[in-house]
Amino acid sequence: MNILEQVQEIFRDVFDEKTLVITETTSAKDIEDWDSLTHIQLVTKIEKHFKIRFTVSEVTKLKQVGDLIKLIESKTT
Amino acid sequence: MISLNSLIFTGVLFLAPFLLSIKSKYRNWIFLLINLSLILISMSSVLSAIITFAWILIPYFLSSKLKKAHLLIGALVLGFIYLNRYDWIISSLGIPYLFTFKLLGLSYILFRQIDFVLNRSSMDQKNINLVHYLNYLLSFYTILAGPILKYEAFVEDLKDPQDPKEIDVLSVLHRVFNGYIKIFVLSALCSSISISIYRQLLTHFDVLSFIGLTITNALFIYFNFSGYCDVMIGMGKLSGFKIDENFNKPYLAQDLSDFWSRWHMTLTQWLTNYVFNPIVVIFARTEKLSLEKVQVIAFFITFLVAGLWHGTTLNFLIYGILQGFGVSLSKVINDYRIKRLGGRKAFRAHRQKPLVKAIEITLTLSYVALSFLFFSFDVLALLGM
C-alpha cells in the first residue's frame, strides 16, 4: 500500500465510513465530520501508524490530504 | 466619549486608503509609520514607551536564537499576567506594581506574538523581518480588538495587496456605514437600556427585568463588536488589506460549539490551534483517557484561557468556566442524540427540521446571553451574593 492508501484506511476508520475515498485535494470542506476533534484523531492515528511526530504548527497547517502526505513522506524518509 | 485620540484615529482610518492602496516598495514603511505614530500618541510617558517597545522587540530577537519556543511563550504569559494586572493573582502573591499604565491592545498583541514565536522556525524565512513583525503586531486595523490574523497570512497579504480597481468601493462603504450604525446607534441604545435596567435591578430584583437585561446586553455586545469588525474589515479592504471575517450569524447557532465557530471566529481559530489541539494531542498520545474525556478536559482549559484572556477580574473566570461547561455539555448531549438517531447523517437531517432548529437556537442563545452578563455586569452582586 502506498501512503495515500494507508492514510485512506485511517480516514475510513476515523470517519466510520468503509467506502470513503480520498485524494490529494480532499480537505475538511469535502468531509462533513472533519472537525477539530476528528482532525486530532486523524493526526494521532497517523503518528502512531507511521511512527512519526508532528509539531503544533504542523498540526494546524494540515488542511489538505496532499499536505499531509508530503509531510509524512518527509518524516519517514 | 469622543476623545482627541479617537478623532485622530478616525481621521487616519479614512485617510489611510489614499496612502496605502498603492503597490509600491514604500507601502510597508508608510503603514509602519502610521502604526507607530498611533501607538506613540497613545503613550502617557517615556517609561510606558520604553516598556512597550521592550515588550514588543525582545521576543522578536530572542525567538531567532531559541530552538524551543515554549520557554519564551511561558515568559510572555507571565509578563502578560503582570502587565495586564491580574489583581487576584498578583496581589495574592504580594507582588508590587512598579508602574501604573496598561499597554494598549496587549491581549491581542500577546496572541499575535505567540503565533509568530511558535511558527517562526517553520515558516518561509524570507517572510521574517522587523518591519513585517511590527506591522503585524501593531496594525491599527486590528490592534484594539482583532480580528486575530496569522503572521504568515498577514505577510503574504502585505506582499500582494489587492488591486484597488477590483474593489467594489460602494458596497464596502455600505458595510462600513452599517458598522458605524451598529456601534453608535444600536449598541449605544442597547447599552444605555441595559445599564438602566441593571441599576433598577440592584434595588429591586424581578425576573422580567432580568430577562430584559439579558437580551439588551447580548444585543449590545453583538452590535458593538461586530460593528467594529465591519468598520475595520471594510476600511482595511479599501487600503488593500484582507482582514479575516470574525462573525457569521452567531446568534443563529444551534449548539455552543456551533456558536464558537461563528462568534469571534479568529479567536476560536487561535485557541483551537494553540490551546485545544496541543492539549488533545498530548493526552491522545498517552492513550490513557478516552477521547471524549480528553475533549472535555481540553474544552475546560481552552475556555478558561479564553475567559481569563478577555479580562482580569474573577467574573471572566466564571464566564470561562460557564463556556467550558456549556460546550462540554452540548457535546455530550449531541453524542447521545447521534447514537439515538442512528448516526451523524440522521442527526444532521433531524436538526434541519424547523421546530428542532428553533428550539436549539433558542436554548443556545439563552445560554450564551446569560453567560455574557458576566462580561458587562457584576452578576454576583445582582444575585445578592
Side-chain angles (χ1 to χ4, degrees):
Chain A
M1 273 206 287
N2 64 23
I3 292 182
L4 182 67
E5 285 163 354
Q6 293 176 50
V7 170
Q8 181 164 284
E9 281 306 309
I10 295 171
F11 268 67
R12 286 178 174 175
D13 182 29
V14 167
F15 294 113
D16 202 16
E17 265 190 68
K18 302 283 163 282
T19 53
L20 186 69
V21 176
I22 57 168
T23 66
E24 302 234 330
T25 57
T26 304
S27 72
K29 282 190 199 101
D30 308 305
I31 302 176
E32 239 174 307
D33 290 329
W34 191 343
D35 57 20
S36 53
L37 192 73
T38 46
H39 186 69
I40 301 298
Q41 276 179 285
L42 288 171
V43 166
T44 49
K45 288 221 159 119
I46 288 165
E47 280 186 340
K48 212 176 154 194
H49 181 86
F50 292 98
K51 300 188 175 64
I52 51 174
R53 275 284 166 100
F54 297 114
T55 66
V56 172
S57 62
E58 283 165 351
V59 171
T60 59
K61 271 185 204 160
L62 292 172
K63 299 274 188 260
Q64 262 195 3
V65 172
D67 306 335
L68 188 62
I69 286 170
K70 255 184 242 150
L71 199 63
I72 296 171
E73 273 169 354
S74 76
K75 290 200 181 246
T76 46
T77 49
Chain B
M1 193 165 120
I2 294 173
S3 64
L4 181 64
N5 277 357
S6 63
L7 270 181
I8 294 173
F9 184 82
T10 311
V12 169
L13 201 58
F14 280 87
L15 202 66
F18 299 100
L19 297 169
L20 293 170
S21 64
I22 40 164
K23 272 195 183 180
S24 100
K25 58 180 172 175
Y26 300 116
R27 184 173 182 263
N28 291 341
W29 290 98
I30 299 170
F31 189 41
L32 182 65
L33 197 67
I34 299 174
N35 290 329
L36 289 179
S37 316
L38 285 172
I39 282 282
L40 284 174
I41 62 164
S42 78
M43 298 281 168
S44 50
S45 68
V46 179
L47 180 68
S48 62
I50 292 171
I51 293 169
T52 303
F53 283 98
W55 176 266
I56 288 167
L57 292 173
I58 290 171
Y60 178 83
F61 292 109
L62 270 186
S63 60
S64 69
K65 308 264 188 302
L66 290 174
K67 274 223 168 76
K68 288 264 175 196
H70 301 86
L71 212 63
L72 181 55
I73 288 169
L76 279 171
V77 171
L78 289 179
F80 171 74
I81 292 171
Y82 184 73
L83 279 181
N84 220 20
R85 299 179 156 252
Y86 281 82
D87 235 3
W88 55 277
I89 301 175
I90 305 290
S91 293
S92 63
L93 291 174
I95 303 168
Y97 291 110
L98 299 171
F99 33 76
T100 54
F101 84 102
K102 270 196 174 186
L103 218 148
L104 183 80
L106 180 62
S107 314
Y108 285 92
I109 290 179
L110 174 79
F111 273 15
R112 285 187 211 110
Q113 284 178 310
I114 292 178
D115 181 272
F116 175 80
V117 169
L118 264 180
N119 292 308
R120 177 164 193 163
S121 59
S122 69
M123 62 186 148
D124 188 350
Q125 298 300 306
K126 275 179 273 170
N127 283 345
I128 301 172
N129 70 52
L130 191 57
V131 176
H132 286 339
Y133 173 79
L134 289 173
N135 278 333
Y136 171 64
L137 289 193
L138 305 175
S139 163
F140 68 93
Y141 289 112
T142 54
I143 189 163
L144 282 178
I148 306 166
L149 311 174
K150 294 180 73 77
Y151 180 83
E152 277 186 291
F154 177 82
V155 172
E156 289 302 326
D157 183 48
L158 273 184
K159 286 198 285 195
D160 185 26
Q162 201 181 2
D163 191 338
K165 286 186 204 106
E166 289 168 10
I167 300 166
D168 180 0
V169 178
L170 211 59
S171 80
V172 172
L173 284 177
H174 186 200
R175 179 174 184 180
V176 170
F177 185 70
N178 280 345
Y180 273 114
I181 290 184
K182 276 185 186 170
I183 301 169
F184 288 109
V185 181
L186 299 171
S187 102
L189 187 70
C190 294
S191 166
S192 66
I193 297 173
S194 69
I195 289 168
S196 69
I197 299 178
Y198 178 72
R199 289 215 182 100
Q200 181 204 325
L201 277 171
L202 277 177
T203 52
H204 171 75
F205 188 89
D206 73 288
V207 174
L208 218 61
S209 306
F210 184 74
I211 294 170
L213 177 74
T214 310
I215 294 171
T216 47
N217 178 60
L219 289 174
F220 155 67
I221 291 179
Y222 172 73
F223 285 135
N224 196 283
F225 194 10
S226 76
Y228 173 84
C229 288
D230 285 335
V231 171
M232 292 307 162
I233 291 170
M235 293 311 294
K237 198 167 190 168
L238 291 184
S239 300
F241 293 100
K242 199 174 134 276
I243 300 171
D244 293 348
E245 290 296 334
N246 225 10
F247 290 93
N248 174 25
K249 304 191 181 105
Y251 286 169
L252 294 179
Q254 284 181 259
D255 63 49
L256 273 180
S257 35
D258 186 23
F259 175 78
W260 284 105
S261 66
R262 295 157 168 269
W263 175 279
H264 206 168
M265 290 146 75
T266 56
L267 173 67
T268 308
Q269 205 54 56
W270 192 98
L271 290 167
T272 308
N273 290 342
Y274 301 131
V275 184
F276 184 83
N277 282 353
I279 294 170
V280 179
V281 170
I282 288 164
F283 275 105
R285 275 180 188 150
T286 66
E287 295 183 337
K288 283 200 177 112
L289 293 168
S290 73
L291 214 55
E292 280 74 26
K293 280 188 193 132
V294 170
Q295 202 181 3
V296 169
I297 296 170
F299 277 139
F300 265 97
I301 299 174
T302 307
F303 282 105
L304 218 56
V305 171
L308 291 176
W309 175 80
H310 274 98
T312 58
T313 60
L314 284 174
N315 270 325
F316 290 95
L317 185 73
I318 299 172
Y319 168 78
I321 292 170
L322 280 177
Q323 289 301 337
F325 176 76
V327 174
S328 306
L329 184 70
S330 89
K331 220 31 178 200
V332 170
I333 294 172
N334 282 348
D335 285 346
Y336 173 75
R337 290 166 77 198
I338 290 169
K339 258 187 215 141
R340 268 202 67 159
L341 291 163
R344 287 172 183 277
K345 240 185 194 141
F347 178 57
R348 270 198 293 272
H350 175 68
R351 299 185 93 180
Q352 287 309 312
K353 290 181 193 158
L355 184 65
V356 177
K357 204 171 178 171
I359 294 171
E360 286 190 335
I361 291 172
T362 313
L363 286 176
T364 306
L365 182 52
S366 309
Y367 193 89
V368 167
L370 283 170
S371 71
F372 275 176
L373 286 175
F374 287 91
F375 246 87
S376 317
F377 302 106
D378 192 352
V379 184
L380 298 180
L382 200 65
L383 300 171
M385 288 153 89

Coordinates of all heavy atoms in Angstrom, one line a residue, chain B residues 46 93 148 150 206 219 244 259 271-272 282 328 336:
Chain B
V46 N 7.4 58.5 29.0 CA 8.5 57.9 28.3 C 8.7 56.4 28.8 O 9.0 55.5 28.1 CB 9.8 58.7 28.7 CG1 11.0 58.0 28.0 CG2 9.7 60.1 28.2
L93 N -0.2 37.1 45.6 CA 1.2 36.7 45.7 C 2.0 37.8 46.4 O 3.2 37.6 46.7 CB 1.8 36.4 44.3 CG 1.2 35.1 43.6 CD1 1.8 35.0 42.2 CD2 1.5 33.8 44.4
I148 N -7.9 38.4 14.9 CA -6.5 38.0 15.1 C -6.1 37.2 13.8 O -6.5 36.1 13.5 CB -6.5 37.0 16.3 CG1 -7.1 37.6 17.5 CG2 -5.0 36.6 16.5 CD1 -7.4 36.6 18.6
K150 N -3.1 35.5 11.2 CA -1.9 34.7 11.4 C -0.8 35.5 10.7 O -1.0 36.1 9.7 CB -2.1 33.3 10.8 CG -3.2 32.5 11.5 CD -3.3 31.2 10.9 CE -2.2 30.2 11.1 NZ -2.2 29.7 12.5
D206 N -36.5 41.7 39.8 CA -37.6 40.9 39.3 C -37.2 40.2 38.0 O -36.4 40.7 37.2 CB -38.9 41.8 39.1 CG -38.8 42.7 37.9 OD1 -38.0 43.7 38.1 OD2 -39.4 42.5 36.9
L219 N -27.5 41.9 22.9 CA -27.6 42.7 21.6 C -26.4 43.8 21.6 O -25.8 44.0 20.6 CB -28.9 43.4 21.5 CG -30.1 42.5 21.2 CD1 -31.4 43.3 21.3 CD2 -29.9 41.9 19.8
D244 N -9.5 38.9 8.0 CA -10.4 37.8 8.2 C -11.7 38.2 8.8 O -11.8 39.0 9.7 CB -9.8 36.7 9.1 CG -8.6 36.0 8.4 OD1 -8.4 36.3 7.2 OD2 -7.8 35.3 9.1
F259 N -21.8 27.8 18.0 CA -21.7 29.2 18.3 C -20.3 29.7 18.2 O -20.0 30.8 17.6 CB -22.2 29.5 19.7 CG -22.1 30.9 20.2 CD1 -22.9 31.9 19.7 CD2 -21.0 31.2 21.1 CE1 -22.7 33.2 20.1 CE2 -20.8 32.6 21.5 CZ -21.7 33.5 21.0
L271 N -7.4 29.8 19.5 CA -7.5 28.9 20.6 C -7.5 27.4 20.2 O -6.9 26.6 20.9 CB -8.8 29.2 21.4 CG -8.8 30.5 22.2 CD1 -10.2 30.8 22.7 CD2 -7.8 30.5 23.4
T272 N -8.1 27.1 19.1 CA -8.1 25.7 18.6 C -6.7 25.3 18.3 O -6.2 24.2 18.7 CB -9.0 25.6 17.4 OG1 -10.3 26.1 17.7 CG2 -9.1 24.2 17.0
I282 N -1.6 15.9 23.1 CA -0.7 15.4 24.2 C -1.4 14.3 24.9 O -0.9 13.2 25.2 CB -0.3 16.5 25.2 CG1 0.7 17.4 24.5 CG2 0.3 16.0 26.5 CD1 0.9 18.8 25.2
S328 N -18.9 21.5 26.7 CA -18.8 20.0 27.0 C -20.2 19.4 27.1 O -20.4 18.3 26.5 CB -18.1 19.8 28.4 OG -16.9 20.5 28.4
Y336 N -25.0 11.7 22.4 CA -26.1 10.9 22.8 C -27.2 10.9 21.7 O -27.8 9.8 21.3 CB -26.7 11.3 24.1 CG -28.0 10.6 24.6 CD1 -27.9 9.3 25.1 CD2 -29.2 11.3 24.5 CE1 -29.1 8.7 25.5 CE2 -30.4 10.6 24.8 CZ -30.3 9.3 25.3 OH -31.5 8.7 25.7

